[in-house]
Amino acid sequence: MSAQEIPYKIYLSEKEIPQAWYNVRADMKNKPAPLLNPGTHQPLQFEELRPVFCDELIKQELNDTDPWIPIPEEIRNFYKMFRPSPLIRAYCLEKKLKTPAKIYYKFEGNNTSGSHKLNSAIAQAYYAKMQGLKGVTTETGAGQWGTALSMACAYFGIDCRVYMVKCSYEQKPFRREVMRTYGANVTPSPSMTTEIGKKINAEYPGTTGSLGCAISEAVEAATKLDGYRYVLGSVLSQVLLHQTVIGLEAKTALDKYGVSPDIIIGCAGGGSNLGGLVSPFLGEKIRGEKDYRIIAVEPASCPSLTRGVFAYDFCDTGHVCPLAKMYTLGSEFMPSANHAGGLRYHGMSSILSQAYHDGLMEACAVEQTAVFNAAEEFARVEGILPAPESSHAIRVAIDEALKCKETGESKTILFGLTGTGYFDMKAYEAYNNGTMSDYIPTDADLQKSIDLIPRFPGNLM
C-alpha cells in the first residue's frame, strides 16, 4: 500500500476498543522483581498491601502470569467518550524535515484531562467504587494525573484528594483549577498537613517538592482516613497494564495498513505512557515474533534510566511505600523545577527497568531547551501544542527522522503524544523569552541520594 493511501488520521471504531488489557509480565523471561516489605525485605503479600491499595488493584499488581486481564464493561463504556484515540501520520512534519522517514504518533490528548492518564484513572476509580470506598488520595506532578482522577472520581461520586508537587502547583494554576472544578481537594506538596510533609519541609526548607514527596503525603493521608485508599498515576505495574489500551489500539491501526514500526519512542518519567504504548510490541519482541527498536526519553535533569542504578529503593521520599526494584536516582533525590512536571520522578517502572536491564529497550536523556525547540517545531506544522512531557518523545523522533535524512533510510517511527500543553504556557513563555535553563545534575549531586538507597543483602552491597 502506498504512503498516500494511508490517511492523515486513522480512527478505529468503538467496537475495536480493546476488551482486555495486555499484561506483558506474563511473557517476560525475567519477571520484574516483587515489591518488598521495607522492614523484613520479604515479598509483599496481598494482606500487607490492603491498607494502602484497592483489593482488585492489588490482585492486578501481583499478577505476572495472566497475559490478558478483561476490561469491565463499565470502564469500556466510559472509554467510548474519548477512545479509540487517533493514530496520526505526521505528513506535515515529514515534509518540513524533508525526511524519507515515515512518522506516526498516537495522540492521547482528546479528553478533558488532556492526556493518557484517564485510561488508568477511570479504572482505579471504578475499583474503588466497587469496593465501597468513600474516596481516594493521590499525587500529581504536572497535574494531568490529578485532573484525570478528579474527573473519574466525579463520575463515580467518590471523594478525591490530590497532593500536587509545589512547583507545578505554582507553575500550572489552571490545571489545579480544573481539578477543583471536578470537586477535588488540591494541596501543594510538601505541605504542613501531614507529618511527612512537615518533616520534608524541615529538612529541605524552601523545597519545590517532587513526586516522591507528594506520594508520601498521599499515602499517609490514605492510611489515616477511614474508607480511603491510595491510587498512583504511574510506576506501578497495574497502571502500565491499564495504559496498554494505547499500544493495543496503535498496533491494530497500523496492522490495518500493513505498517510495522522500526522505532517506537516514548517519554519516560514513571513509565505509564511509555509502558502502555510499547507493551504489545515488547511482547512480540520477547516472544521472538518481531524486532523493534524501543527508546525511552527522559529529562537530563532527572535521568533515572541513563544515570541511575538498578536496585531496590523506596518509591517515595518519606519511606512509607514498599521497596521496588527499579532504576533509581535515590528516593531522596530532589529534581530541579523542570517544566515537565510529570517526568520529575526519581525511579522508573519495574517492568520497564527490567526490560531496559535485559537490553530489550534503550534510553536517552535530553535537555529541556532542546525539548521545547522540538515542541515549537511540531506545533507549527502539526497543529497541536504538545505537553512538555510528550515533547521529549517528539525531540528524539525528530532526531531519528533527521538521521534517516542523512542515510536515505525510509524507517517507520512511532511515538506517543501523551497530551496537550495548553495549561503549560508558563513553560512556553520561559522558552520564548529565552529564560529557560538546562539544569543537569553532576555525578556528585546524584551520588548523594544514591548513597542513601537501602543497603541489605543482595541490594547494592
Side-chain angles (χ1 to χ4, degrees), residues 108-283:
E108 291 292 309
N110 282 337
N111 64 74
T112 305
S113 76
S115 79
H116 69 293
K117 295 292 189 178
L118 197 53
N119 298 326
S120 183
I122 194 62
Q124 297 195 52
Y126 168 80
Y127 290 122
K129 178 71 172 181
M130 291 302 100
Q131 193 172 323
L133 298 176
K134 295 177 184 176
V136 294
T137 68
T138 196
E139 80 299 321
T140 194
Q144 290 176 326
W145 166 247
T147 301
L149 187 66
S150 300
M151 179 182 183
C153 288
Y155 181 79
F156 284 118
I158 61 174
D159 187 36
C160 180
R161 302 192 180 196
V162 181
Y163 288 85
M164 187 174 187
V165 176
K166 188 176 291 182
C167 73
S168 291
Y169 185 92
E170 295 166 352
Q171 289 173 349
K172 307 175 197 302
F174 298 127
R175 197 167 275 138
R176 178 186 74 216
E177 290 312 309
V178 174
M179 289 182 245
R180 293 179 64 205
T181 299
Y182 277 118
N185 178 288
V186 188
T187 303
S189 174
S191 73
M192 297 302 285
T193 64
T194 67
E195 294 307 310
I196 288 171
K198 294 173 185 175
K199 180 183 176 186
I200 292 171
N201 275 313
E203 290 182 9
Y204 303 95
T207 180
T208 55
S210 71
L211 281 167
C213 294
I215 290 170
S216 295
E217 290 205 271
V219 171
E220 179 184 323
T223 56
K224 289 185 176 180
L225 289 168
D226 184 47
Y228 282 71
R229 293 293 187 277
Y230 167 69
V231 295
L232 184 65
S234 189
V235 184
L236 294 176
S237 298
Q238 56 182 276
V239 183
L240 269 68
L241 175 73
H242 304 150
Q243 294 295 353
T244 57
V245 292
I246 303 171
L248 292 167
E249 285 184 6
K251 192 172 185 313
T252 298
L254 290 169
D255 287 348
K256 278 180 179 286
Y257 291 91
V259 176
S260 181
D262 298 296
I263 307 170
I264 307 169
I265 303 166
C267 64
S272 66
N273 94 88
L274 175 66
L277 175 66
V278 308
S279 281
F281 301 96
L282 184 60

Side-chain angles (χ1 to χ4, degrees), residues 217-373:
E217 290 205 271
V219 171
E220 179 184 323
T223 56
K224 289 185 176 180
L225 289 168
D226 184 47
Y228 282 71
R229 293 293 187 277
Y230 167 69
V231 295
L232 184 65
S234 189
V235 184
L236 294 176
S237 298
Q238 56 182 276
V239 183
L240 269 68
L241 175 73
H242 304 150
Q243 294 295 353
T244 57
V245 292
I246 303 171
L248 292 167
E249 285 184 6
K251 192 172 185 313
T252 298
L254 290 169
D255 287 348
K256 278 180 179 286
Y257 291 91
V259 176
S260 181
D262 298 296
I263 307 170
I264 307 169
I265 303 166
C267 64
S272 66
N273 94 88
L274 175 66
L277 175 66
V278 308
S279 281
F281 301 96
L282 184 60
E284 288 186 318
K285 185 169 182 173
I286 292 168
R287 296 190 301 269
E289 298 166 4
K290 287 188 178 180
D291 193 19
Y292 304 101
R293 186 178 167 215
I294 299 171
I295 307 174
V297 188
E298 58 187 8
S301 60
C302 194
S304 56
L305 283 173
T306 53
R307 296 176 67 191
V309 296
F310 190 40
Y312 269 108
D313 193 15
F314 285 99
C315 296
D316 65 312
T317 306
H319 299 176
V320 296
C321 285
L323 295 171
K325 182 77 175 286
M326 58 184 175
Y327 274 89
T328 176
L329 298 171
S331 64
E332 297 191 36
F333 175 70
M334 290 288 177
S336 66
N338 185 292
H339 287 286
L343 305 185
R344 298 175 69 249
Y345 183 64
H346 65 274
M348 185 60 62
S349 150
S350 291
I351 293 174
L352 296 180
S353 291
Q354 189 65 55
Y356 178 65
H357 193 69
D358 291 342
L360 294 168
M361 53 181 263
E362 56 192 85
C364 64
V366 290
E367 299 173 12
Q368 71 172 344
T369 51
V371 165
F372 275 86
N373 177 268

